[in-house]
Structure formats: C-alpha cells, structure tokens
Amino acid sequence: MSPLSPQVKSVEAFQRDLEPTIITARNELVTAENFLAYKNNYSIAAYMEDGKTLYSFHSRMFFFTELDTDLIRDTYNKHLLPLGFELSEKRWTSNGVELVNFLWINEEYHAVVSSTTRLGEESATRYYTMGNPTDGSTSDPTQMIDQPGRIPDWFDPNLPPA
C-alpha cells in the first residue's frame, strides 16, 4: 500500500464508511461466550512522511475460541467484500500447530482486517489503517469518532489486557 497515493481516503472516512461494517462482522464472531482476552486499545497515531501528516488507526485485538475458519472467512467476506475488500489467505504450520491467517485489504482506505487462527487453540482478530490523510471533518484527527459497538456491550473495560 502506497501511503501517499492521492486516492487514499481519510482516517475519518474510514471510520464513517468502513468501520461500522467491520465492527458488525467482528461482533458476530467475537461474543461474550467465546471471548478469551484482548491486547492493546484503540488508537489513531499521527506521523510525518514526506512533509505530510498521515494517520494510522489501530483497533484492539480480540482473542476468542472460534476455530471454524470457514465461519470466520464467510462472516467477514459477507460484510467486507461488498465494500471493496480483497481476501488473502495463508496457511502454515509452526511448532506442530496449523495456523490460518486471513487478511482483507481495501487499498482505497489503506485498511486491513486480520484474523489468525491457531487451530485447536484460539483465534485473534483486529483491524487497522496506515498512511491516511485527514479530511478536516474533525478538529483532531487523532480523536476517534464515536462508534456504536466498537467496544461491545459485554466487554468489561476493567479487564487487564493479555
């Protein structure tokens, strides 16, 4: 993904246009019943590249017990493919454990949705963007737009991260 492509959508547009659907798909997969742990928090970082301020959005990573990779792929596909995401799939074995990684990539928004399953153990999912400009629609592009469901109703913010 080229961070300085003129057609790249803003970090605000990502939150308005794509994130609600990503959240819906993620919340279909990660539930109170299958949630294991989490890592990191939601953030938007600003950085300079070639004299321009760009932004990267990072979601919390959720670990959960769903091991049906067909269900994970089909759920995200149903929601993300109509929005212009393309799926990349990789399978490999590490220390005798089979891993399956799905990446849904949307070039226009420099957005990635990732899901990795360690078969027989757990799955993890997160989403992020890299190299997005601001469109000036908010006074501070590093402040997230309020997004229903971003933090699921069942999630306890007092839980320590994994």
Side-chain angles (χ1 to χ4, degrees), residues 11-17 19-20 44 144-145 147 150:
V11 68
E12 297 94 345
F14 165 77
Q15 292 175 82
R16 288 189 305 266
D17 301 346
E19 191 186 17
I44 300 175
M144 297 199 170
I145 296 170
Q147 207 61 274
R150 181 185 284 142

Side-chain angles (χ1 to χ4, degrees), residues 10-140:
S10 70
V11 68
E12 297 94 345
F14 165 77
Q15 292 175 82
R16 288 189 305 266
D17 301 346
L18 300 185
E19 191 186 17
T21 303
I22 295 167
I23 289 168
T24 297
R26 193 238 11 240
N27 288 349
E28 284 182 25
L29 292 168
V30 182
T31 65
E33 291 75 31
N34 69 13
F35 170 76
L36 292 171
Y38 75 96
K39 183 177 172 183
N40 302 324
N41 284 312
Y42 294 89
S43 65
I44 300 175
Y47 60 96
M48 296 294 291
E49 188 168 301
D50 294 333
K52 295 182 181 185
T53 302
L54 299 175
Y55 300 88
S56 62
F57 178 107
H58 295 275
S59 78
R60 174 175 285 143
M61 179 180 287
F62 286 95
F63 297 91
F64 58 114
T65 60
E66 181 58 65
L67 302 177
D68 182 345
T69 57
D70 291 336
L71 175 68
I72 294 169
R73 182 191 59 239
D74 294 348
T75 299
Y76 274 128
N77 276 350
K78 173 178 69 173
H79 292 282
L80 301 181
L81 296 182
L83 296 177
F85 281 85
E86 293 183 14
L87 172 62
S88 170
E89 180 178 338
K90 180 180 175 187
R91 294 175 181 264
W92 73 99
T93 301
S94 175
N95 297 326
V97 176
E98 184 180 356
L99 293 108
V100 179
N101 179 245
F102 297 116
L103 292 177
W104 289 267
I105 300 168
N106 184 303
E107 286 285 341
E108 187 178 21
Y109 290 82
H110 282 192
V112 176
V113 177
S114 172
S115 177
T116 303
T117 301
R118 293 177 56 87
L119 293 177
E121 294 182 24
E122 67 184 15
S123 293
T125 190
R126 70 184 183 114
Y127 55 96
Y128 58 92
T129 70
M130 295 292 289
N132 302 80
T134 181
D135 61 19
S137 63
T138 62
S139 60
D140 181 358

